[in-house]
Amino acid sequence: SQEKLKSVKTNAMSPKITVELLRQLRQAMKNSKYITEPIQAYIIPSGDAHQSEYIAPCDCRREFICGFNGSAGTAIVTEQHAALWTDGRYFLQASQQMDNNWTLMKMGLKETPSQEDWLVSILPENSKVGVDPWIIAADQWKNMSKALSSAGHSLVAVQDNLIDTIWEDRPAPPSTKLITLGLKYTGLTWQDKVTALRGKMAERKISWFVVTALDEIAWLFNLRGSDIEYNPVFFAYAIIGISNIKLFVDSKRLLDPAVQEHLELDSPSKPELTIQCFPYESVYTELQAVCAALAPKEKMWICDKASCALTQVIPKSHRSVIPYTPLCLAKAVKNPTEIQAMKMAHIKDAVALCELFAWLEKEIPKGTVTEISVADKAEELRSQQRDFVGLSFPTISSVGPNGAIIHYRPLPETNRTLSLNEVYLIDSGAQYLDGTTDVTRTVHFGTPTDYEKECFTYVLKGHIAVSAAVFPNGTKGHLLDSFARAALWDSGLDYLHGTGHGVGCFLNVHEGPCGISYKTFADEPLEAGMIVSDEPGYYEDGSFGIRIENVVLVIPAKTKYNYRNRGSLTFEPLTLVPIQLKMINTDLLTQKEHDWVNDYHKKCRETIGAELERQGRKEALDWLIRETQPIV
Amino acid sequence: SQEKLKSVKTNAMSPKITVELLRQLRQAMKNSKYITEPIQAYIIPSGDAHQSEYIAPCDCRREFICGFNGSAGTAIVTEQHAALWTDGRYFLQASQQMDNNWTLMKMGLKETPSQEDWLVSILPENSKVGVDPWIIAADQWKNMSKALSSAGHSLVAVQDNLIDTIWEDRPAPPSTKLITLGLKYTGLTWQDKVTALRGKMAERKISWFVVTALDEIAWLFNLRGSDIEYNPVFFAYAIIGISNIKLFVDSKRLLDPAVQEHLELDSPSKPELTIQCFPYESVYTELQAVCAALAPKEKMWICDKASCALTQVIPKSHRSVIPYTPLCLAKAVKNPTEIQAMKMAHIKDAVALCELFAWLEKEIPKGTVTEISVADKAEELRSQQRDFVGLSFPTISSVGPNGAIIHYRPLPETNRTLSLNEVYLIDSGAQYLDGTTDVTRTVHFGTPTDYEKECFTYVLKGHIAVSAAVFPNGTKGHLLDSFARAALWDSGLDYLHGTGHGVGCFLNVHEGPCGISYKTFADEPLEAGMIVSDEPGYYEDGSFGIRIENVVLVIPAKTKYNYRNRGSLTFEPLTLVPIQLKMINTDLLTQKEHDWVNDYHKKCRETIGAELERQGRKEALDWLIRETQPIV
């Protein structure tokens, strides 16, 4: 899956009528019930309080006020104006979903002002601009505040979210049942993880750590929830001290005896492993209390993506802001149990996909299979597998020209029928108790054109170049990105997205801190046990899209020499789904690539074949055997 | 050449005796003649006032005070202590060159304090730390000042350089004869360049630009000097306004009628192209005068590497600090005349090297050829070529284990004799009026071992992978670095330096803003007309070193397709010196690499062969023809 693919729910819909909502919001902006002095502008960011990529319905405040439901965008409402900033992916969609009370600010175009510049250009002198400090990151607050101050205005924190005050039928914050994960899935108890974390804290002389990312909390406590669609996380905060564990979560969730036992709430094994539970909302006051009791030189970690509200509770002299937390790093390097579990999840996922493709071959000639029906069928087949929990992201199921829309998601208005004449791309994945999957295959059910095969083969060569790359320990993922593009570049082609992202273990399908991208960021070096996707593509606008995606595990590589004893790494594919041979122009493959394809298919046949046999899925097994014939 | 290779003048020498010098410096630190209040510490950075990579003898102040003459290092002297910070390349050399009054601070080791931390740990309360503001960059000043202030100390600018006050036989600042370059070499008059620069300034609403980098001033005015060894530059500043040109240079240099005419000092063609000349030293007061007359919204460009002294003259509200100046970018993209001139320089350079290798083949069996004598012979042969000016950097001439020292420079104490049994590496280059060269070849005059050939072939594969790479317009150089390493990585090998640097046209052999490195920096995308080096290597400590370096020109590439009309780029080698076939294990080459070698050698034979013929250099021509036989 691509980050770009987050929920485009429609391309054709009527705009939301916002006259009355804007009137109410502007009243709230002057209402002394919420603010001591009127504010002249109110900023509505699109995130939640936990820097989540996907958000719960109760947090879709920007969509509520303007109608635009893309994954990225910030709304600002002043006394006279209402404007929404979003990027090129969403220009069309936003213009269709918003009524004419809203101005669309097209980010990335030269003439579009930044939020700061726009505010400064239209605000009356000495204005106050409000924002909910819980849903703006500390560094964003700082930048905005600085820009406003230097123009004579000020940024103020409005504690009551003003959208919530006018949102009558706002969904309740979710509080789904918690799932406890045993050692069989996690390899380490939460007590082990807390102890290891404290080791890292001691190394850096840190006495407290405020955990705000939902997947870090879920991973640390070996708990999962379903508060956010596709992401098995639950709303919580944690504050970990050298001898304290404070967990902030809706107390109803802790009534479950399984959870009580898992967390040893009644009978902790050791005093320093006693979890103190607090209501979710009390994190602010409790953090204040912890900070008030800090000794002069004590330091507290918090992530630079944490909310302004929480970050500012920590006095500057005690605050150590970090780009990646030690939990983010620990979570990224999977332990042997997690690796085994991820492998199992990928085997089950491959079984479902083999069945899907065998079914498609039979059904497509009937002319009744659509993008949506394939997505539904894929979900049904996955759900038959043991420990299935749900999808890991919305399925991208796209025929012909729809395949060229990288973040496409089929909707009734756009739904196309699969045929023998067009390329079909499916990017999908699931959550199982034992792991998270994410796989893309591009196939043709008739006869692909020479050009389609040529492009597919370049993408395959890029996929193999990354998958088979050998590189020294300490190499950062972005140094591998060009390997995925070299074959496309040679022919003047390219794709405008990154090549890979970290993948969680029954957690978020996109996770940090590593990735493979031409964009260089402060990524951490790849190390054995990390799991990332390898997904180059090629997109011909109006015609077709190609992407070949496997989830791959970083493993030690055996090399002939070992310069400075650094050791080397390579990748092992966890995804074991055949790559359609019909789409390959084998003349374009080197011997090494040729062998890679045959080795990969041999492994698919052996591993998935055995499981299909075990599950008695005969038709899918026949399909697998046919699709994994060696190429000569 | 590698950046690392800057002047290691010796490995075996006695330390400089510094007792008396330190006593004098400490007196100066209290002398009210230079400072109003005594300072408790004095920082001696290693640079000059122009962020130069190589410096003139009069600027070697850090070497003067401590004896250490490596290219990188900062000395700090307090009332009780004297310490020098340098990096791993220089630990041994620095410890040998400094007496026991000095503490060596080994940068990169965990236990080594930063300069700031060390100062804070040893200074008495409320101390003053002095530094010459002309040789510290503005951002370095800011960081140091902040660290000291937060510990209750202060950083103060000492206008008189205290080293200069005690340096009795300090060399005079150089003021060499200026060379004027006509259109035949430059392609553009200085008037054209000033006009183009003003266009860039107008685009960004900039009214003044303070030019501090010596190569930018030399390029802008089509002048060259020889104030700094290897770099054909001269000490100067320039302040360019929309209708003013202020040049700050030793006035004696302008008495030369050729320079007067070139700069149109007597009869400028247009008022806005009139150069006002000022003494070099008056840049400070003149900049103050310009700043005093600025209108409220006027902005002035200055590079972020400029000195603190000049940067701080510009009031913050008028200051626009930029990482790369428009001159740096304009200079990097060579125009057709410069490209033609660079090609000619590389042909002459190749002639000299072909002669050198032919001579070596005859002379080595006599057992009298040493690293130093080859370097001298190479210089002699180059000097016979038309428009030769000098070397572009100190020649690296290294046999066997010396080749593994990346920044090696042969000295009488280390000088080895070339033989039929060891690998020989020579990295050398010259300045000609028409261009700058930089080439490395690694050869064996007897029979190389299989392992030496294997390593050489991996390096060659990396060299070819970069040289033959096709990539979209807009690609940054760092995205190509892994191509140079892939073959080495596959076998567990690597090299610990970048792959390429920008090369000037009869200017500095290392220039920004582009390069090819695993270190990502804010480099500008490659574009047609840029010239960089392509120089992967492999170094086996204690045994041998391999590097294959060509200077290559970025050119448009013809590709089968043209995604989004972005266009593609590739490289054309300017260096045309045979790569020794004896060192290649041809079994390891792909067909494409095989063809590249033959095509390259065909071009060497045709282009250099014709010039050798024209110059009547028969022996070298025979050698060239033999060394460029196609491999089968």
Side-chain angles (χ1 to χ4, degrees), chain B residues 20 34 38 46 79 97 109 144 161 203 231 277 412 524 557 584:
Chain B
E20 176 55 19
Y34 311 123
S46 69
E79 287 159 315
Q97 294 182 324
L109 302 192
M144 176 59 81
N161 189 294
E203 262 175 36
N231 294 176
C277 297
E524 291 291 315
I584 304 174

Side-chain angles (χ1 to χ4, degrees), chain B residues 346-412:
Chain B
H346 280 81
I347 290 171
K348 292 183 289 183
D349 209 57
V351 163
L353 280 186
C354 288
E355 281 206 283
L356 179 75
F357 286 119
W359 176 83
L360 281 172
E361 276 192 3
K362 278 192 324 193
E363 297 296 316
I364 287 171
K366 300 179 186 165
T368 53
V369 178
T370 68
E371 292 169 343
I372 293 178
S373 74
V374 188
D376 292 344
K377 184 71 182 179
E379 183 165 359
E380 180 201 323
L381 291 169
R382 281 184 162 114
S383 73
Q384 295 169 6
Q385 294 297 316
R386 187 172 46 76
D387 287 346
F388 172 83
V389 177
L391 298 186
S392 58
F393 60 94
T395 298
I396 298 177
S397 169
S398 55
V399 174
N402 287 345
I405 304 167
I406 295 171
H407 58 291
Y408 180 75
R409 182 178 173 176
L411 296 162

